[in-house]
Amino acid sequence: MYKKAIVLVLLIVLIIPFLSGCTLNDQNMTTLEKIKKTKEFVVGMDNTFPPMEFTDDNNNTVGFDVDLANEIAKKLGAKLKIVAVDWSGIQSALKSKKFDAIISCFSITDERKKAFNLAGPYLYIRQVIAVKKGDSSIKSFEDLKGIKIGVQANTTGDSAVQKMKFINYEKDVTRYERITDAFNDLDIGRIKAVVIDSVVAYYYKKQNPEKFDIAPAQLEREPVGIALRKEDKDLYNEIQKILDQLKKDGTIAKISEKWFGEDITK
């Protein structure tokens, strides 16, 4: 028994450094190396943002960004795993390493460039005004003065409205966590307009032509990209290279045609 105990202790002594070494190696891996090893590309999305990412009738997450993320995962030699997260917490979740990247209609802005590496752009959008069908009273952004409007919180649409001095932001603007709730309130008349990304507005108009329309006004176009942590420079470089390839071979244009009926990636 004594000899067996000694042998057991020696085995433990030999195994512990090996296990510790494995853990240290895993901890020292870059995100790109981890993806290559696990064969899994983990992406954060707000899946309440059709047609970019949303849940279909079979409870699957689908949309433009999902198709794009799958193509990127293939190029990385990995399978796509989607982590659904509310938009309000998506940036902090990336920083705390809940996933590898944000692919969720993430507009490229100077402020966001300070916080993340932003690969792309892979398409362009504009801020527009969604209204109820038949409402011709809103032709410009100035016409939003004094009426109840909705935005999705912490989006570029929200930021744009905050900068419009003619709008009483505290009194007249409702900030929604989910854009679906904003369109529900627009439908039942709680608000008169929604300031939103053009891709979403045109999708809702296409899906519900009897309910929604889009005012003539629009802001300057915004580039959309993929957010990655600042320290993940190798993954940023790899994804930028993949995006360039997918643009060149027409893959992104085909995805755009599928979801929008035209190529909005230029």
Side-chain angles (χ1 to χ4, degrees):
M1 287 293 292
Y2 180 71
K3 288 182 179 180
K4 287 182 179 179
I6 291 175
V7 171
L8 183 59
V9 169
L10 287 172
L11 283 172
I12 292 171
V13 169
L14 289 170
I15 289 170
I16 286 175
F18 175 75
L19 293 175
S20 298
C22 289
T23 303
L24 283 173
N25 287 338
D26 287 347
Q27 289 175 346
N28 291 333
M29 276 185 179
T30 67
T31 302
L32 179 57
E33 288 170 341
K34 178 189 69 92
I35 292 168
K36 298 288 188 182
K37 180 182 178 181
T38 62
K39 307 293 184 187
E40 187 174 70
F41 180 41
V42 187
V43 169
M45 292 183 179
D46 172 8
N47 64 350
T48 64
F49 204 69
M52 301 306 290
E53 45 272 332
F54 62 102
T55 304
D56 67 10
D57 293 337
N58 296 317
N59 208 33
N60 296 314
T61 302
V62 297
F64 179 99
D65 282 333
V66 178
D67 289 353
L68 176 63
N70 268 308
E71 292 296 333
I72 293 171
K74 289 177 190 176
K75 295 286 187 183
L76 290 170
K79 286 187 177 181
L80 177 67
K81 178 182 178 182
I82 296 172
V83 176
V85 57
D86 286 341
W87 185 257
S88 59
I90 201 166
Q91 295 186 43
S92 58
L94 176 60
K95 288 180 179 178
S96 60
K97 300 188 176 182
K98 296 291 195 305
F99 35 79
D100 304 324
I102 297 171
I103 306 181
S104 192
C105 200
F106 198 81
S107 296
I108 297 173
T109 65
D110 290 338
E111 184 178 355
R112 287 173 178 175
K113 284 178 182 178
K114 295 174 185 176
F116 303 102
N117 285 323
L118 298 172
Y122 60 84
L123 62 78
Y124 293 88
I125 59 174
R126 296 176 186 271
Q127 295 302 315
V128 298
I129 306 168
V131 296
K132 287 199 74 170
K133 183 72 173 181
D135 185 352
S136 59
S137 64
I138 301 172
K139 296 181 175 63
S140 69
F141 280 90
E142 285 75 12
D143 292 332
L144 297 175
K145 181 179 179 179
I147 67 172
K148 300 297 181 182
I149 63 177
V151 296
Q152 185 174 19
N154 303 310
T155 62
T156 48
D158 187 7
S159 298
V161 169
Q162 289 183 47
K163 293 172 185 175
M164 296 175 187
K165 303 302 182 184
F166 51 85
I167 290 176
N168 188 326
Y169 186 82
E170 296 299 324
K171 178 184 175 185
D172 293 331
V173 178
T174 301
R175 302 172 81 233
Y176 296 87
E177 288 298 318
R178 300 172 185 272
I179 199 61
T180 47
D181 294 335
F183 274 92
N184 286 338
D185 276 2
L186 177 62
D187 183 33
I188 63 178
R190 284 182 179 160
I191 55 177
K192 282 205 68 177
V194 177
V195 177
I196 186 63
D197 293 342
S198 53
V199 289
V200 178
Y202 281 102
Y203 176 81
Y204 269 90
K205 180 182 177 180
K206 181 181 177 183
Q207 296 298 112
N208 304 276
E210 76 289 352
K211 290 184 178 182
F212 303 118
D213 212 338
I214 300 169
Q218 57 182 3
L219 297 180
E220 291 297 315
R221 72 177 192 166
E222 304 167 8
V224 174
I226 296 171
L228 304 133
R229 289 181 290 272
K230 280 287 188 182
E231 64 267 26
D232 289 335
K233 291 181 180 178
D234 56 345
L235 180 59
Y236 162 76
N237 290 331
E238 186 70 13
I239 287 182
Q240 185 63 63
K241 184 171 70 174
I242 290 170
L243 284 177
D244 292 341
Q245 291 172 350
L246 294 176
K247 282 182 183 179
K248 188 176 181 180
D249 67 16
T251 299
I252 297 180
K254 288 178 183 177
I255 297 172
S256 180
E257 291 280 354
K258 172 183 174 180
W259 290 102
F260 308 120
E262 60 182 290
D263 182 8
I264 65 169
T265 64
K266 300 176 182 178

